[in-house]
Amino acid sequence: MSKTLNLIKTNASNPKVWIVAGITVAGIIVVAETRRRRKKAMIIKREDFGAFMERFELIPFPQPPPPAAKLPLLGLTFAIKDIFDVKGHATGFGNPDWQRTHEVADKTAVVVTALLKNGAKCVGKTVMDELAFGITGENKHYGTPTNPNMPSNVPGGSSSGSAVAVAAELVDFALGTDTIGCVRVPASFCGILGFRPSHGAVSTIGVLPNSQSLDAIGWFARDPSILHRVGNVLLQLKAVEPRRGRHLVFADDLFQLSKVPKQKTVHVISKAVEKLSGYQLPKHVNFCQFIASNVPSLKGFFQHSTNLQNGISALQALSSAMVSLQRYEFKTNHEEWLKDVKPRLGPEVSRCVLAAINNTYENVKSLYKVRTEMRAATQSLLKDDGILVIPTIADPPLKLKKGSSTEFHDRACALLSVASMSGCCQVSVPLGEHDGCPISVSFVTYHGADKFLLDTVLDMYASLQEQVSMASNSAPLPDLNGNMDASELLKEKGNAAFKGKQWNKAVNYYTEAIKLNGTNATYYNNRAAAYLELGCFQQAEEDCNKAISLDKKNVKAYLRRGTARDSLLCYKEALEDFKHALVLEPQNKVANLAERRLRKLVS
């Protein structure tokens, strides 16, 4: 452009120069406009991030009239993987040849109907890996859904579209299935919550099988409370269960597989539970040694060579048993169709299918024996209050179209085999980023303890995210008092002033702590207590609002907000706060007395 201007200045009187300049400028404008329109067209085309293969609406059942309780999922939207039957629609199983050769469904899957009955609206079916094989999320027929956090990397699969729909905030939650990691992997790669329930805990009627001994219905959410609400519906859980203590069991040897530094996982979790009540000191275990000693049937699956790090051979044996079981059952389920139709398959899926179909399975009973022993072993390790902490997956998301290496697959399956082969429930929880990639950790507990695990996630999520935020700060806070950082020191000074009835001084200390760390619910809660003593009820209410937004199960915040609202003569709101406190702590005497008194006042 500068050369054109110089040419004009030099030959300003020559009309040909003006024509050339005009054509040049016009050309630049045309090229720029063409690029802009192409970019806009691409954005419009991928406005749903390629997550959906079919859009439709399944209207939820109507809300019953009062006095019936509000439907638990009212107002929420969800999407379903293309593996669930919907009446009047052909289930595609991620492959056009499957969809072409099968009739439309005459019934909707039980799990989808349950969600509709409880107030949620379904908005469509999502893309998946063909035949539910694969963990990358790529599909050569329908395109690969775009990972919202890392557009040039795979979203993870096989429930890729469902994970992307949630991560891109297109829906509130989504259904997937998990055989050997099909929910856990995309949840980790897309930076969201993913729950695999205990095997058999959720009905699979109306869901196409890959391997029925490993298949589980799972779901994704961004918000732990939505994850919990969906779980209550699908698992048909009781609303109230006696609160139990918890102890975390870190599988130290499995964290050796992860490329994420321990400080960003184990350290963050340890710090998060320090501030929570009901958690015992964490324990540490060599998980591979444990299963080698407690799952004797694994001996038949040990290999002389391994791509994994030393000491992980027992886990590789477990992974080998898992893959063999999946392939055996897939062959039993679908061999006839595969031979009759000869479907077009992507290269990765084709390799898995050929391996399944061409294999001979001589000792099938040993596969099921490993599964039975593995479930008993995890029950023995975790008892009724233990939660195993492991990395969700060892490696970051692969680049698109790169294909997964044997090493990537082996390292992934080693970690994923723990829950798949034991039938335990597992939740993948995001823990921020490392080197620009989303990272996560998984909590696993024994078969049947789904409510316990969902409650745990809800209980610790805010504290975990607070620790993630603190750990990701570019410069760590100065250590001014032993192991306490600056904000904790200020909180302690505030506590001392509070005990000395120096309310204004306490408020000042807590305010300074909040300036340093505005995501700690305790700081707002403590300042609210000081404001109550000073008679600053509106300020106390605002601080409690903030504390509750950071920690939904903070009993003290509900009690203090109830007291502030009571003092402001907002009796109905105060009554709700004390009721909420009683739900969290049924034996709380303060809440009990206040609730009775306010109930009389309101009536």
Side-chain angles (χ1 to χ4, degrees):
M1 191 72 179
S2 58
K3 288 181 180 179
T4 306
L5 289 172
N6 289 331
L7 187 64
I8 292 168
K9 288 176 183 177
T10 309
N11 303 280
S13 60
N14 189 339
K16 291 182 180 180
V17 172
W18 284 103
I19 293 169
V20 171
I23 292 170
T24 303
V25 172
I28 292 168
I29 292 170
V30 168
V31 170
E33 180 64 14
T34 302
R35 285 178 180 172
R36 187 188 69 80
R37 289 184 180 181
R38 279 180 185 169
K39 190 175 181 182
K40 186 179 179 182
M42 286 176 67
I43 291 169
I44 291 169
K45 187 179 177 182
R46 300 291 288 183
E47 65 181 357
D48 64 356
F49 290 79
F52 287 90
M53 61 165 294
E54 186 181 2
R55 285 275 201 173
F56 53 76
E57 282 195 357
L58 300 180
I59 304 302
F61 286 41
Q63 166 69 41
K70 180 183 173 184
L71 293 174
L73 304 179
L74 190 65
L76 299 182
T77 59
F78 71 101
I80 57 175
K81 184 177 182 177
D82 185 30
I83 200 170
F84 294 89
D85 284 346
V86 172
K87 186 176 180 180
H89 297 259
T91 307
F93 214 4
N95 180 274
D97 289 323
W98 180 281
Q99 189 174 46
R100 175 178 55 80
T101 55
H102 288 80
E103 299 294 327
V104 298
D106 58 358
K107 289 182 180 178
T108 297
V110 168
V111 66
V112 177
T113 303
L115 296 170
L116 297 172
K117 281 183 177 179
N118 283 273
K121 180 172 74 173
C122 180
V123 297
K125 283 193 174 186
T126 56
V127 176
M128 58 178 279
D129 287 62
E130 297 173 78
L131 314 182
F133 260 123
I135 57 174
T136 62
E138 295 170 291
N139 188 307
K140 82 165 199 173
H141 304 288
Y142 303 114
T144 302
T146 302
N147 185 333
N149 290 306
M150 303 184 72
S152 59
N153 296 63
V154 298
S158 63
S159 307
S160 52
S162 290
V164 167
V166 172
E169 301 185 21
L170 305 175
V171 290
D172 297 303
F173 67 95
L175 289 184
T177 56
D178 190 304
T179 305
I180 62 168
C182 315
V183 164
R184 292 164 285 168
V185 173
S188 179
F189 284 178
C190 292
I192 56 175
L193 292 155
F195 188 80
R196 175 196 163 98
S198 297
H199 183 261
V202 179
S203 172
T204 55
I205 296 173
V207 184
L208 294 173
N210 176 287
S211 168
Q212 54 270 26
S213 293
L214 302 172
D215 292 342
I217 308 298
W219 54 96
F220 303 93
R222 297 181 302 278
D223 185 326
S225 66
I226 292 178
L227 192 82
H228 194 273
R229 285 157 65 187
V230 173
N232 280 337
V233 167
L234 297 185
L235 296 160
Q236 300 178 2
L237 300 175
K238 294 177 181 177
V240 179
E241 184 181 272
R243 181 177 172 83
R244 287 179 277 171
R246 299 173 171 91
H247 78 259
L248 301 183
V249 181
F250 289 99
D252 289 339
D253 52 329
L254 303 196
F255 278 97
Q256 294 175 21
L257 279 174
S258 176
K259 292 183 178 178
V260 178
K262 266 193 173 184
Q263 187 180 1
K264 292 199 173 183
T265 49
V266 174
H267 175 75
V268 163
I269 298 163
S270 300
K271 293 294 289 182
V273 298
E274 277 179 14
K275 299 183 178 182
L276 303 174
S277 61
Y279 289 80
Q280 301 172 26
L281 287 173
K283 296 181 180 179
H284 296 265
V285 66
N286 186 306
F287 189 73
C288 288
Q289 285 182 5
F290 176 81
I291 62 171
S293 302
N294 290 275
V295 187
S297 296
L298 272 182
K299 289 178 182 176
F301 297 92
F302 275 86
Q303 298 176 7
H304 295 296
S305 62
T306 174
N307 291 326
L308 303 179
Q309 297 175 28
N310 293 332
I312 312 290
S313 54
L315 205 60
Q316 189 188 31
L318 185 67
S319 171
S320 176
M322 175 185 72
V323 171
S324 296
L325 179 57
Q326 181 197 24
R327 289 175 176 175
Y328 166 72
E329 291 189 339
F330 179 84
K331 178 179 180 178
T332 304
N333 293 329
H334 304 303
E335 181 179 22
E336 185 179 342
W337 175 80
L338 287 161
K339 288 184 175 178
D340 288 347
V341 176
K342 296 179 175 58
R344 294 166 297 133
L345 300 170
E348 294 277 335
V349 176
S350 183
R351 279 196 289 272
C352 291
V353 168
L354 284 173
I357 299 302
N358 295 334
N359 229 329
T360 54
Y361 302 90
E362 297 174 359
N363 194 5
V364 173
K365 287 183 179 178
S366 64
L367 298 172
Y368 295 100
K369 196 171 183 182
V370 169
R371 194 183 62 150
T372 302
E373 290 175 357
M374 187 65 188
R375 184 173 298 183
T378 52
Q379 176 72 63
S380 170
L381 174 67
L382 300 175
K383 299 185 171 53
D384 65 349
D385 64 349
I387 298 166
L388 184 68
V389 185
I390 64 174
T392 304
I393 190 163
D395 298 282
L398 297 167
K399 291 286 185 184
L400 285 166
K401 298 180 181 178
K402 183 181 178 182
S404 62
S405 64
T406 302
E407 182 185 356
F408 175 87
H409 190 268
D410 286 352
R411 285 161 57 82
C413 286
L415 293 169
L416 297 165
S417 65
V418 175
S420 289
M421 284 302 282
S422 64
C424 292
C425 48
Q426 177 175 342
V427 61
S428 177
V429 180
L431 288 185
E433 292 186 348
H434 174 66
D435 290 341
C437 297
I439 59 173
S440 68
V441 73
S442 273
F443 301 121
V444 183
T445 194
Y446 61 92
H447 183 272
D450 299 74
K451 178 169 172 52
F452 178 57
L453 186 57
L454 284 166
D455 287 348
T456 300
V457 174
L458 196 60
D459 186 55
M460 68 160 61
Y461 190 79
S463 185
L464 271 175
Q465 299 312 309
E466 175 192 329
Q467 289 301 320
V468 169
S469 176
M470 291 173 67
S472 64
N473 287 340
S474 55
L477 291 170
D479 186 357
L480 299 180
N481 188 25
N483 294 325
M484 285 190 292
D485 60 35
S487 58
E488 279 294 292
L489 179 61
L490 287 164
K491 184 201 77 173
E492 292 303 319
K493 287 184 175 181
N495 291 349
F498 188 93
K499 287 176 184 176
K501 299 185 179 181
Q502 297 173 299
W503 319 123
N504 279 311
K505 201 170 183 180
V507 165
N508 291 335
Y509 280 128
Y510 295 138
T511 301
E512 291 304 312
I514 288 167
K515 287 178 182 177
L516 288 176
N517 179 10
T519 59
N520 190 312
T522 303
Y523 301 166
Y524 291 98
N525 205 4
N526 289 8
R527 190 169 69 176
Y531 275 137
L532 284 175
E533 294 294 341
L534 290 167
C536 302
F537 302 120
Q538 287 185 347
Q539 290 92 329
E541 183 184 16
E542 288 172 8
D543 270 359
C544 290
N545 288 340
K546 184 66 178 176
I548 290 167
S549 73
L550 293 167
D551 179 6
K552 297 286 192 300
K553 300 182 80 173
N554 195 318
V555 177
K556 288 181 179 178
Y558 285 107
L559 291 173
R560 287 167 187 169
R561 189 170 71 175
T563 303
R565 287 174 167 177
D566 187 8
S567 302
L568 292 167
L569 310 183
C570 299
Y571 298 130
K572 286 184 180 179
E573 291 88 345
L575 176 59
E576 289 303 312
D577 279 331
F578 289 118
K579 281 182 178 178
H580 207 117
L582 283 171
V583 169
L584 296 170
E585 264 186 34
Q587 306 304 318
N588 191 292
K589 291 179 181 178
V590 173
N592 230 315
L593 289 170
E595 192 266 344
R596 288 180 191 173
R597 177 176 57 79
L598 287 166
R599 194 157 15 96
K600 289 178 183 177
L601 271 173
V602 170
S603 62

